[in-house]
Amino acid sequence: SKLKPEKQSEEERYRAILSNLDLTRSFYFSYSYDLTRCLQHNIFRERKAHHEGTPRSIFQDYNTMFIWNHHLLTPAISALKHPYEWCLPIIHGYVDQSKLSVYGRVVYITIIARRSRIFAGARFLKRGANDLGFVANDVETEQIVSEQTTTSFHSAGPELHANPNYTSYVQHRGSIPLYWTQENTGVSPKPAIELNLVDPFYSAAALHFDNLFERYGAPIYILNLVKSRERTPRESKLLQEFTNAVTYLNQFLPGNKKLIYKAWDMSRAAKSRDQDVIQTLEDIAGDIIPRTGFFKNARDVESGLRLQNGVARTNCIDCLDRTNAAQFVIGKRALGYQLHALGVIDETTVEYDTDAVNLFTNMWHDHGDTIAIQYGGSHLVNTMATYRKINQWSSHSRDMVESFKRYYNNSFLDAQRQEAYNLFLGNYIFAQGAPMLWDLATDYYLHHADPRSYL
């Protein structure tokens, strides 16, 4: 019998690492709908193509930021005239749809979360921003609320893609756009936060917000939920630096594109008996939705067309627990506006502990769990039940278990997950004589440009 080699071959090790990335979970594709773009963009792209008499444009307009097999498709994209007629893009994130019956009217709620493939990775190994302004854990979440009397985007009449029964609202989460890291030694569950580079011009943040303006328009409403007071400064160091960055950048922005900045210590408020966390978030959400608007399809403005301009950008330190709770409340407020725009309810608000909000809560809880597993290796530690102080004994026990799971995964499994991400996304090109990815002390240079390239 043949003897097995004593040392595992590089190819075998490469295949073993890549096999840890389960492509059967949290990866999505569609044969007929562009999942990399929001509904508002997709409908108006098709309208424009129809009015100009140009061929259907869906195959040429994918947002490559969210195409997780982009590296694998690159040879085909460069060689084929219409590559996406042959190649199928996939997104990584979360997709769910639920049906709600309101007095006999059937409403569908769809949540689509798209994770950026750029600067992607595991929690402690990907923090902050790279030098192109792309941040870690960048996730765009869209909620589509529609009354599907017909499944088509068209409606009766000559105008295509004008079905008035479709609405959507888009939010964004992402790491604080500064140069910062946490060295996870496996000893402390909360490693110290280090600001690696002090940039007086906040160039990474500037590029990041330029990208957000390009993707979503204005205004950008920044909801910063990091801690403001700590015995040993950790998050608060980033709070001050991020506040300085926004203040600095706003000097150079015109009045119609100012960054709206709201900093609130949600963690401290949750531990206080005097503050109502949910009501504060409701007040913030009530300020956000009228500023950004939401999308409601129609033939024209006179017949009820509404557009979303701008986005709410929410972050805590990990963009997981606090962020998901805040995004849920913002989404809940948007849900009220969407149902009202469809003529389903008379007011623009929906109440907690109703069938509609309970269903919506479960969807957002699953959404938060999925994003948390992808970035932090465990489910949400603090859920809406935690912040609403519902079933405190059971939720506290669950939170402790999930906190331990996250600590274990961050200490022992994050490096493997990061290697799998890098291999799948093509961040590392195997070159003759170059060190193997798993032999590198850090993957820093895979995500940051060589400064000499600017010379």
Side-chain angles (χ1 to χ4, degrees), residues 290-346:
R291 290 176 183 269
T292 63
F294 62 97
F295 171 64
K296 180 187 181 295
N297 197 26
R299 186 175 65 255
D300 49 40
V301 175
E302 288 73 22
S303 58
L305 176 68
R306 299 184 182 186
L307 300 178
Q308 179 176 344
N309 285 301
V311 74
R313 184 205 190 276
T314 309
N315 72 270
C316 49
I317 201 66
D318 298 319
C319 301
L320 297 178
D321 303 356
R322 284 168 276 175
T323 294
N324 200 70
Q327 284 198 318
F328 161 77
V329 176
I330 296 168
K332 171 183 165 292
R333 179 57 66 98
L335 175 65
Y337 277 89
Q338 290 173 278
L339 291 173
H340 177 262
L342 292 173
V344 176
I345 59 176
D346 295 329

Side-chain angles (χ1 to χ4, degrees), residues 145-265:
V145 181
S146 58
E147 185 182 7
Q148 289 189 280
T149 51
T150 172
T151 57
S152 173
F153 288 124
H154 312 307
S155 60
E159 193 72 27
L160 296 180
H161 299 93
N163 189 335
N165 295 323
Y166 283 87
T167 69
S168 77
Y169 185 73
V170 177
Q171 299 186 59
H172 174 269
R173 73 171 68 181
S175 192
I176 297 172
L178 302 170
Y179 297 113
W180 63 280
T181 59
Q182 279 181 285
E183 292 296 328
N184 185 23
T185 60
V187 177
S188 171
K190 294 183 178 181
I193 292 174
E194 299 294 336
L195 280 160
N196 306 100
L197 176 66
V198 177
D199 180 0
F201 304 109
Y202 299 104
S203 53
L207 289 170
H208 175 69
F209 290 119
D210 277 348
N211 179 256
L212 291 188
F213 281 128
E214 182 182 346
R215 286 159 62 182
Y216 306 111
I220 304 298
Y221 194 110
I222 304 165
L223 178 55
N224 185 12
L225 303 173
V226 301
K227 297 175 182 177
S228 59
R229 286 193 290 174
E230 300 169 294
R231 290 181 180 177
T232 303
R234 291 178 60 257
E235 297 184 18
S236 52
K237 291 192 292 187
L238 290 174
L239 169 66
Q240 188 58 51
E241 192 69 8
F242 193 21
T243 303
N244 293 343
V246 173
T247 303
Y248 176 81
L249 295 175
N250 263 335
Q251 298 178 92
F252 309 103
L253 291 171
N256 63 338
K257 289 186 73 173
K258 293 290 186 185
L259 300 169
I260 303 169
Y261 182 70
K262 173 70 175 178
W264 177 54
D265 189 338

